[in-house]
Amino acid sequence: MEPNIKEVAGRIRALREDLDLTMQEMAEATGRSVAEYAAQEAGEEDLSFTFLYKCAEKFGVDVIELLTGENPHLTGYSLTRAGTGLSIKRRAGFEYLHKAPHFRHKLAEPFVVTAPYLEEQQNVPVHLSRHGGQELDFIISGQMRFAYEDHEEILNPGDVVMYDSGRGHGMVATGGAPCVFLAIVMKPGDEKII
């Protein structure tokens, strides 16, 4: 199952209006200009996971509710079989497969991510993004060029990197093939990802 961008954008607009939040307030919450936020809320631009995560945080809802229109409902455990999950496609062909979309009150968001190998990204600076909390990335296959502020590392299968995701970080597949990795996004302290 893959969310429809226009439907997700419509849910974001409806929640913003229901909560009497202005576009300016949402632009500030998501780290965008009002024009950039308006384009994303209208479904005119791709919705990055970071953007969705920040919207969900501001609205006080689970990011899965924005993506599917449904609230996660499982509380004891959640089983997601190999090759299944909630598919999210985003920037430069990255594919995210959310591995626990129906588990309620998650302390972390688990994804299997496939980063495409793109020749044009090999000799340019890695695009950096930021979101609150921490992230752990476990390389399953392929190679990743991982950038953290002004540091760069090449990661191989079995390598794990954990970092403060509130600081600039980014990754690109390298080595001539896609890179598949497990990404676990965690909120700081006692805060729940709701």
Side-chain angles (χ1 to χ4, degrees):
M1 169 171 80
E2 185 176 329
N4 176 296
I5 290 176
K6 291 283 189 186
E7 290 174 6
V8 174
R11 283 190 279 277
I12 290 170
R13 186 192 75 253
L15 276 167
R16 179 184 60 77
E17 291 172 350
D18 286 350
L19 295 170
D20 286 327
L21 295 169
T22 66
M23 282 200 180
Q24 177 67 43
E25 289 171 307
M26 288 306 297
E28 290 170 9
T30 58
R32 283 153 176 73
S33 70
V34 173
E36 290 169 332
Y37 175 82
Q40 289 191 297
E41 185 184 277
E44 296 167 1
E45 290 186 11
D46 192 23
L47 305 175
S48 72
F49 179 74
T50 301
F51 173 79
L52 293 169
Y53 187 81
K54 288 179 178 181
C55 286
E57 190 173 54
K58 182 73 174 173
F59 297 148
V61 300
D62 192 299
V63 70
I64 300 305
E65 188 173 343
L66 292 180
L67 292 169
T68 67
E70 298 176 15
N71 237 336
H73 54 278
L74 298 176
T75 57
Y77 75 97
S78 171
L79 173 63
T80 305
R81 298 286 183 188
T84 66
L86 178 64
S87 178
I88 305 167
K89 294 188 187 316
R90 61 172 289 231
R91 69 173 176 89
F94 272 57
E95 294 184 22
Y96 287 70
L97 193 59
H98 196 298
K99 297 305 283 184
H102 304 295
F103 193 78
R104 193 171 172 186
H105 301 302
K106 290 178 280 300
L107 300 177
E109 299 283 352
F111 298 92
V112 171
V113 182
T114 302
Y117 175 82
L118 299 172
E119 187 62 41
E120 63 270 18
Q121 292 182 341
Q122 301 309 304
N123 298 309
V124 297
V126 176
H127 170 77
L128 302 180
S129 62
R130 294 165 178 76
H131 54 84
Q134 297 177 342
E135 185 168 333
L136 179 141
D137 297 335
F138 174 83
I139 308 305
I140 297 169
S141 65
Q143 270 188 332
M144 173 195 291
R145 182 164 60 117
F146 172 76
Y148 188 81
E149 296 185 325
D150 59 353
H151 303 280
E152 275 200 19
E153 302 284 347
I154 299 296
L155 306 178
N156 296 293
D159 288 349
V160 174
V161 62
M162 187 167 177
Y163 50 93
D164 174 353
S165 52
R167 295 167 69 179
H169 64 279
M171 58 277 300
V172 297
T174 191
C179 179
V180 178
F181 60 101
L182 173 66
I184 301 174
V185 179
M186 299 161 277
K187 287 290 284 181
D190 294 333
E191 294 180 41
K192 287 190 276 189
I193 298 175
I194 55 173

